[in-house]
Structure formats: structure tokens, C-alpha cells
Amino acid sequence: MKSEPTDFSIDDLEKAPKQTIDWYGIRNYQARNFMRDDMSLGDLAFFYHSNCKTPGIVGIMTVSKLAYPDRLQFIKDHKYFDSKSPPDNPRWLNVDVKFVKKTKLLELKDIRNYAELKDMRILQRGNRLSITPVSPEEWHFIYSLIA
DNA sequence: GCCAACGTTGGC
DNA sequence: GCCAACGTTGGC
């Protein structure tokens, strides 16, 4: 799960109340569907810093609440307001995630270098999704490297 | 700041 | 339903 550290970083998550945050602002259907359809309570996720000097994995968090309507879509004048999202059938959802631990930084350029990780969704050409699945094999490989 | 690669929008 | 124009993402 990607976040720009200038917007919300792993340190922000560690310092957040209950070390938990609603993963707000996802406005892409595929990324939304990953949260809605493929995440269960207790699932683990890598926290990835994007659009920064050294993009890469910086920590681990866990899904602490299943997908529910993103509250920001209904707040007029908010950056994430969506006038086309009907309150009785909200278009955008988010899960809650809870801090687990910081890890050693695994830079994107290093992710690219491991043959074991060459099929990761995040590396696929033109990938712009801020939430992508990680296979069990990829998870264990990365975990043993950095955690 | 640039720009490739997408996703979305809206006219037709 | 097509597709051009536009907006966004995110590495570099």
C-alpha cells in the first residue's frame, strides 16, 4: 500500500492514535476493489513510500477494520469530495490499518534487482495502482530480507 | 519539473 | 459505445 510520505508516512502511522488510520483517499476502482474484496481482518501489508527521494517499502501494518465508506467523499470542498457518490450507495471505501513495525528500507531499485520479485505487481509496466496484491512467496521473501 | 502510461470524462 | 481530451500517478 503506497503513500506519499509528505502526505502520510510510516512515522505518522506509528504516532497516530491507536497507531491506526483509515486508508483514505483511494479514488481508483481497482485499488478500491482490492480493499473491498481481497482484504481480511488481520491481513498484513507492506507500507510503501512513493513519490519521494528513495521510494520503497518502509514498514508493515495490519488490516484492523474491513472496508467501509470513505468519510471524505462526502465532505464538500475537501480534496477527496466526490459529488457523484450517492450517500446511500457510497462509491469509495477504505479499510483501517494498524502499525505493526518499521522495517529496513527496501528500495524500489532493489526490489527490481531480485529475481524472486520480478513478477511483483508493483513492478509491472505502467503500474499506477496505489494498492497491489503481494503473493505469499513474495511476502516471505521480502519479510526475511527486511523485518 | 518532466513525461510516460494510464484512467476518466463527456461529446457525439 | 467510441475516442479525443484531460487529469493523475509516480519514477526519474
Side-chain angles (χ1 to χ4, degrees):
Chain A
M1 299 172 77
K2 300 180 186 175
S3 179
E4 303 190 15
T6 53
D7 180 25
F8 191 83
S9 71
I10 187 73
D11 292 320
D12 294 329
L13 181 60
E14 186 176 21
K15 285 182 286 192
K18 300 181 181 174
Q19 298 191 310
T20 297
I21 189 75
D22 50 328
W23 201 259
Y24 58 83
I26 299 301
R27 296 293 180 270
N28 171 284
Y29 290 105
Q30 253 187 297
R32 179 204 67 184
N33 293 348
F34 285 139
M35 288 195 288
R36 186 189 62 192
D37 304 332
D38 297 331
M39 289 192 187
S40 305
L41 283 180
D43 279 357
L44 297 173
F46 291 124
F47 194 126
Y48 178 99
H49 280 174
S50 68
N51 202 15
C52 56
K53 192 172 179 187
T54 51
I57 293 170
V58 293
I60 293 172
M61 51 198 179
T62 186
V63 175
S64 59
K65 185 174 177 181
L66 295 176
Y68 62 99
D70 180 332
R71 63 188 186 84
L72 299 181
Q73 69 194 306
F74 302 123
I75 300 176
K76 258 195 173 140
D77 301 327
H78 194 281
K79 174 185 177 186
Y80 289 121
F81 176 66
D82 183 351
S83 61
K84 293 177 183 168
S85 181
D88 58 347
N89 184 23
R91 182 181 287 193
W92 304 116
L93 308 172
N94 61 255
V95 295
D96 282 357
V97 289
K98 185 173 192 300
F99 179 84
V100 172
K101 63 160 80 171
K102 289 193 203 180
T103 62
K104 286 190 283 186
L105 170 66
L106 178 60
E107 289 189 45
L108 176 60
K109 65 175 164 110
D110 294 325
I111 296 176
R112 291 190 203 283
N113 282 337
Y114 287 107
E116 293 88 341
L117 302 178
K118 67 177 169 50
D119 295 327
M120 280 194 80
R121 184 84 173 244
I122 199 176
L123 297 181
Q124 284 174 18
R125 189 165 156 276
N127 168 64
R128 287 169 40 211
L129 287 175
S130 60
I131 299 177
T132 49
V134 178
S135 77
E137 294 76 16
E138 292 159 353
W139 178 276
H140 292 302
F141 183 79
I142 294 174
Y143 192 90
S144 67
L145 277 178
I146 63 175

